[in-house]
Amino acid sequence: MLMAILFLGVVSAQAATITYSLTTKVDGRTITGTANLSEGASLLNNMPQDLWRGYTTYKYYSDEAKTVEITTAPAENATVYVDYEFDPPFQMSDDSKTVWNYLRNWNGGATSHRFCYYDSKDNRIYSKGRTSETQMKNDYTAHWAFYGDGYSFNFKNRANEKWAIWAEQEVKVFGVVVSTTYYHEFSSTKEEVGWQLYANTATNSHFSGGAISLCRPDNKKLTYLEDLGIALSAQNITSGHKFDDHNQLVAVHTGS
């Protein structure tokens, strides 16, 4: 009898496999992730990392039509359908309205802001010598319109009316490819799946807290805003950064 009671106790304590299913609103992709949760566990707190994006709030439903909202994990294995709202701390544009923003970054020592602007000479984004909003007011190269949401974020420049996309270029030495560089360029056609937008809470020589971070859709290359005066590039995430459980970019502190 005692053995039977103990066995029942073990069974009742097992976690259920919860599959989170989120369909993006801009491009219609479905992103899924699983978590082993005990009955009653918070769906929000335990949502897998891959589903999180910056400036986004979430609701959960037991049915695909999203009519029955739930907040905690059920007792049995189940699929939970995720809905979301994107509410960034800057103004977005859509087909009916264009809103122009400034896009700023830091200099190499994270001591002062600079304004990102479009340079037509090589079709890239730069941020050199731009220190004042007064200077930028009538300079259309420093005006940017943002579209989409955190799962497909696109932005274009006012001066050229083109979209900032990612590009890659092989670096060759004596005809042999030694590396590949990733950078931004401009196109009259935006990417089908836009940049992935994450909240950035890191504070060090590369970033300041409260800024945004943009990644390629594969979440491998991060927009890199460190070096003042060169074209903004997309590079591997450095050893000083990581994405936490909620996909926020955070600084990794070492030593005491």
Side-chain angles (χ1 to χ4, degrees), residues 82-99:
V82 185
D83 196 12
Y84 68 91
E85 291 295 331
F86 180 59
D87 185 23
F90 43 83
Q91 296 187 66
M92 300 292 292
S93 298
D94 56 34
D95 292 340
S96 64
K97 181 179 65 173
T98 301
V99 180

PDB file of all heavy atoms in Angstrom, residues 82-99:
ATOM      1  N   VAL A  82      -0.387  32.001 -28.377  1.00  0.00           N
ATOM      2  CA  VAL A  82       0.120  33.268 -27.855  1.00  0.00           C
ATOM      3  C   VAL A  82      -0.337  34.418 -28.744  1.00  0.00           C
ATOM      4  O   VAL A  82      -0.190  34.376 -29.963  1.00  0.00           O
ATOM      5  CB  VAL A  82       1.661  33.258 -27.791  1.00  0.00           C
ATOM      6  CG1 VAL A  82       2.174  34.533 -27.139  1.00  0.00           C
ATOM      7  CG2 VAL A  82       2.158  32.021 -27.042  1.00  0.00           C
ATOM      8  N   ASP A  83      -0.905  35.429 -28.120  1.00  0.00           N
ATOM      9  CA  ASP A  83      -1.217  36.676 -28.810  1.00  0.00           C
ATOM     10  C   ASP A  83      -0.331  37.767 -28.218  1.00  0.00           C
ATOM     11  O   ASP A  83       0.139  37.644 -27.077  1.00  0.00           O
ATOM     12  CB  ASP A  83      -2.687  37.035 -28.641  1.00  0.00           C
ATOM     13  CG  ASP A  83      -3.146  38.093 -29.635  1.00  0.00           C
ATOM     14  OD1 ASP A  83      -2.396  38.373 -30.599  1.00  0.00           O
ATOM     15  OD2 ASP A  83      -4.241  38.652 -29.441  1.00  0.00           O
ATOM     16  N   TYR A  84      -0.106  38.844 -28.981  1.00  0.00           N
ATOM     17  CA  TYR A  84       0.808  39.870 -28.480  1.00  0.00           C
ATOM     18  C   TYR A  84       0.416  41.244 -28.984  1.00  0.00           C
ATOM     19  O   TYR A  84      -0.279  41.393 -29.988  1.00  0.00           O
ATOM     20  CB  TYR A  84       2.245  39.551 -28.885  1.00  0.00           C
ATOM     21  CG  TYR A  84       2.532  39.660 -30.364  1.00  0.00           C
ATOM     22  CD1 TYR A  84       2.981  40.860 -30.941  1.00  0.00           C
ATOM     23  CD2 TYR A  84       2.379  38.569 -31.206  1.00  0.00           C
ATOM     24  CE1 TYR A  84       3.256  40.955 -32.292  1.00  0.00           C
ATOM     25  CE2 TYR A  84       2.659  38.650 -32.563  1.00  0.00           C
ATOM     26  CZ  TYR A  84       3.095  39.842 -33.107  1.00  0.00           C
ATOM     27  OH  TYR A  84       3.374  39.940 -34.454  1.00  0.00           O
ATOM     28  N   GLU A  85       0.887  42.260 -28.254  1.00  0.00           N
ATOM     29  CA  GLU A  85       0.731  43.658 -28.653  1.00  0.00           C
ATOM     30  C   GLU A  85       2.101  44.317 -28.595  1.00  0.00           C
ATOM     31  O   GLU A  85       2.842  44.169 -27.613  1.00  0.00           O
ATOM     32  CB  GLU A  85      -0.238  44.395 -27.731  1.00  0.00           C
ATOM     33  CG  GLU A  85      -1.687  43.953 -27.864  1.00  0.00           C
ATOM     34  CD  GLU A  85      -2.293  44.275 -29.222  1.00  0.00           C
ATOM     35  OE1 GLU A  85      -1.844  45.274 -29.850  1.00  0.00           O
ATOM     36  OE2 GLU A  85      -3.197  43.548 -29.657  1.00  0.00           O
ATOM     37  N   PHE A  86       2.429  45.055 -29.627  1.00  0.00           N
ATOM     38  CA  PHE A  86       3.712  45.741 -29.722  1.00  0.00           C
ATOM     39  C   PHE A  86       3.525  47.208 -29.361  1.00  0.00           C
ATOM     40  O   PHE A  86       2.718  47.906 -29.966  1.00  0.00           O
ATOM     41  CB  PHE A  86       4.238  45.604 -31.155  1.00  0.00           C
ATOM     42  CG  PHE A  86       5.557  46.273 -31.414  1.00  0.00           C
ATOM     43  CD1 PHE A  86       6.688  45.930 -30.692  1.00  0.00           C
ATOM     44  CD2 PHE A  86       5.678  47.235 -32.415  1.00  0.00           C
ATOM     45  CE1 PHE A  86       7.910  46.538 -30.942  1.00  0.00           C
ATOM     46  CE2 PHE A  86       6.884  47.846 -32.673  1.00  0.00           C
ATOM     47  CZ  PHE A  86       8.004  47.499 -31.935  1.00  0.00           C
ATOM     48  N   ASP A  87       4.246  47.677 -28.342  1.00  0.00           N
ATOM     49  CA  ASP A  87       4.075  49.047 -27.859  1.00  0.00           C
ATOM     50  C   ASP A  87       5.439  49.645 -27.549  1.00  0.00           C
ATOM     51  O   ASP A  87       5.863  49.725 -26.394  1.00  0.00           O
ATOM     52  CB  ASP A  87       3.183  49.057 -26.614  1.00  0.00           C
ATOM     53  CG  ASP A  87       2.878  50.469 -26.141  1.00  0.00           C
ATOM     54  OD1 ASP A  87       2.965  51.409 -26.952  1.00  0.00           O
ATOM     55  OD2 ASP A  87       2.545  50.627 -24.956  1.00  0.00           O
ATOM     56  N   PRO A  88       6.166  50.100 -28.572  1.00  0.00           N
ATOM     57  CA  PRO A  88       7.527  50.603 -28.366  1.00  0.00           C
ATOM     58  C   PRO A  88       7.536  52.031 -27.834  1.00  0.00           C
ATOM     59  O   PRO A  88       6.532  52.748 -27.933  1.00  0.00           O
ATOM     60  CB  PRO A  88       8.125  50.547 -29.778  1.00  0.00           C
ATOM     61  CG  PRO A  88       6.937  50.828 -30.657  1.00  0.00           C
ATOM     62  CD  PRO A  88       5.771  50.151 -29.988  1.00  0.00           C
ATOM     63  N   PRO A  89       8.669  52.480 -27.308  1.00  0.00           N
ATOM     64  CA  PRO A  89       8.782  53.855 -26.777  1.00  0.00           C
ATOM     65  C   PRO A  89       9.161  54.860 -27.859  1.00  0.00           C
ATOM     66  O   PRO A  89       9.823  55.855 -27.584  1.00  0.00           O
ATOM     67  CB  PRO A  89       9.893  53.715 -25.735  1.00  0.00           C
ATOM     68  CG  PRO A  89      10.768  52.651 -26.288  1.00  0.00           C
ATOM     69  CD  PRO A  89       9.843  51.675 -26.981  1.00  0.00           C
ATOM     70  N   PHE A  90       8.756  54.609 -29.079  1.00  0.00           N
ATOM     71  CA  PHE A  90       8.966  55.537 -30.185  1.00  0.00           C
ATOM     72  C   PHE A  90       7.786  55.371 -31.141  1.00  0.00           C
ATOM     73  O   PHE A  90       7.034  54.402 -31.055  1.00  0.00           O
ATOM     74  CB  PHE A  90      10.292  55.278 -30.909  1.00  0.00           C
ATOM     75  CG  PHE A  90      10.583  53.819 -31.145  1.00  0.00           C
ATOM     76  CD1 PHE A  90      10.044  53.140 -32.225  1.00  0.00           C
ATOM     77  CD2 PHE A  90      11.412  53.124 -30.268  1.00  0.00           C
ATOM     78  CE1 PHE A  90      10.307  51.799 -32.440  1.00  0.00           C
ATOM     79  CE2 PHE A  90      11.681  51.779 -30.465  1.00  0.00           C
ATOM     80  CZ  PHE A  90      11.128  51.117 -31.550  1.00  0.00           C
ATOM     81  N   GLN A  91       7.613  56.312 -32.027  1.00  0.00           N
ATOM     82  CA  GLN A  91       6.439  56.319 -32.890  1.00  0.00           C
ATOM     83  C   GLN A  91       6.673  55.479 -34.143  1.00  0.00           C
ATOM     84  O   GLN A  91       7.699  55.593 -34.806  1.00  0.00           O
ATOM     85  CB  GLN A  91       6.081  57.746 -33.291  1.00  0.00           C
ATOM     86  CG  GLN A  91       5.665  58.623 -32.119  1.00  0.00           C
ATOM     87  CD  GLN A  91       5.151  59.965 -32.567  1.00  0.00           C
ATOM     88  OE1 GLN A  91       4.114  60.076 -33.211  1.00  0.00           O
ATOM     89  NE2 GLN A  91       5.898  61.010 -32.240  1.00  0.00           N
ATOM     90  N   MET A  92       5.676  54.643 -34.446  1.00  0.00           N
ATOM     91  CA  MET A  92       5.739  53.783 -35.615  1.00  0.00           C
ATOM     92  C   MET A  92       4.959  54.404 -36.773  1.00  0.00           C
ATOM     93  O   MET A  92       4.078  55.238 -36.579  1.00  0.00           O
ATOM     94  CB  MET A  92       5.156  52.410 -35.282  1.00  0.00           C
ATOM     95  CG  MET A  92       5.878  51.677 -34.176  1.00  0.00           C
ATOM     96  SD  MET A  92       7.555  51.152 -34.630  1.00  0.00           S
ATOM     97  CE  MET A  92       7.184  49.909 -35.881  1.00  0.00           C
ATOM     98  N   SER A  93       5.292  53.970 -37.965  1.00  0.00           N
ATOM     99  CA  SER A  93       4.578  54.374 -39.175  1.00  0.00           C
ATOM    100  C   SER A  93       3.785  53.193 -39.709  1.00  0.00           C
ATOM    101  O   SER A  93       4.055  52.033 -39.380  1.00  0.00           O
ATOM    102  CB  SER A  93       5.564  54.847 -40.245  1.00  0.00           C
ATOM    103  OG  SER A  93       6.288  55.979 -39.825  1.00  0.00           O
ATOM    104  N   ASP A  94       2.795  53.486 -40.543  1.00  0.00           N
ATOM    105  CA  ASP A  94       2.064  52.440 -41.256  1.00  0.00           C
ATOM    106  C   ASP A  94       1.658  52.983 -42.618  1.00  0.00           C
ATOM    107  O   ASP A  94       2.073  54.077 -43.007  1.00  0.00           O
ATOM    108  CB  ASP A  94       0.856  51.947 -40.458  1.00  0.00           C
ATOM    109  CG  ASP A  94      -0.109  53.060 -40.078  1.00  0.00           C
ATOM    110  OD1 ASP A  94      -0.268  54.019 -40.866  1.00  0.00           O
ATOM    111  OD2 ASP A  94      -0.711  52.983 -39.000  1.00  0.00           O
ATOM    112  N   ASP A  95       0.824  52.240 -43.334  1.00  0.00           N
ATOM    113  CA  ASP A  95       0.457  52.644 -44.692  1.00  0.00           C
ATOM    114  C   ASP A  95      -0.314  53.958 -44.727  1.00  0.00           C
ATOM    115  O   ASP A  95      -0.322  54.652 -45.752  1.00  0.00           O
ATOM    116  CB  ASP A  95      -0.371  51.547 -45.363  1.00  0.00           C
ATOM    117  CG  ASP A  95       0.450  50.294 -45.642  1.00  0.00           C
ATOM    118  OD1 ASP A  95       1.695  50.418 -45.681  1.00  0.00           O
ATOM    119  OD2 ASP A  95      -0.133  49.210 -45.786  1.00  0.00           O
ATOM    120  N   SER A  96      -0.952  54.303 -43.618  1.00  0.00           N
ATOM    121  CA  SER A  96      -1.770  55.517 -43.608  1.00  0.00           C
ATOM    122  C   SER A  96      -1.031  56.735 -43.067  1.00  0.00           C
ATOM    123  O   SER A  96      -1.491  57.865 -43.241  1.00  0.00           O
ATOM    124  CB  SER A  96      -3.029  55.286 -42.764  1.00  0.00           C
ATOM    125  OG  SER A  96      -2.694  55.046 -41.407  1.00  0.00           O
ATOM    126  N   LYS A  97       0.122  56.517 -42.404  1.00  0.00           N
ATOM    127  CA  LYS A  97       0.815  57.628 -41.759  1.00  0.00           C
ATOM    128  C   LYS A  97       2.309  57.333 -41.648  1.00  0.00           C
ATOM    129  O   LYS A  97       2.698  56.247 -41.225  1.00  0.00           O
ATOM    130  CB  LYS A  97       0.234  57.873 -40.358  1.00  0.00           C
ATOM    131  CG  LYS A  97       0.873  59.035 -39.613  1.00  0.00           C
ATOM    132  CD  LYS A  97       0.235  59.223 -38.242  1.00  0.00           C
ATOM    133  CE  LYS A  97       0.481  58.044 -37.322  1.00  0.00           C
ATOM    134  NZ  LYS A  97       0.002  58.293 -35.938  1.00  0.00           N
ATOM    135  N   THR A  98       3.112  58.314 -42.020  1.00  0.00           N
ATOM    136  CA  THR A  98       4.559  58.198 -41.873  1.00  0.00           C
ATOM    137  C   THR A  98       5.028  59.140 -40.775  1.00  0.00           C
ATOM    138  O   THR A  98       4.702  60.328 -40.793  1.00  0.00           O
ATOM    139  CB  THR A  98       5.286  58.531 -43.183  1.00  0.00           C
ATOM    140  OG1 THR A  98       4.838  57.649 -44.211  1.00  0.00           O
ATOM    141  CG2 THR A  98       6.789  58.387 -43.017  1.00  0.00           C
ATOM    142  N   VAL A  99       5.754  58.610 -39.814  1.00  0.00           N
ATOM    143  CA  VAL A  99       6.307  59.399 -38.717  1.00  0.00           C
ATOM    144  C   VAL A  99       7.829  59.290 -38.781  1.00  0.00           C
ATOM    145  O   VAL A  99       8.383  58.189 -38.812  1.00  0.00           O
ATOM    146  CB  VAL A  99       5.805  58.888 -37.350  1.00  0.00           C
ATOM    147  CG1 VAL A  99       6.403  59.724 -36.227  1.00  0.00           C
ATOM    148  CG2 VAL A  99       4.288  58.903 -37.291  1.00  0.00           C
TER     149      VAL A  99
END
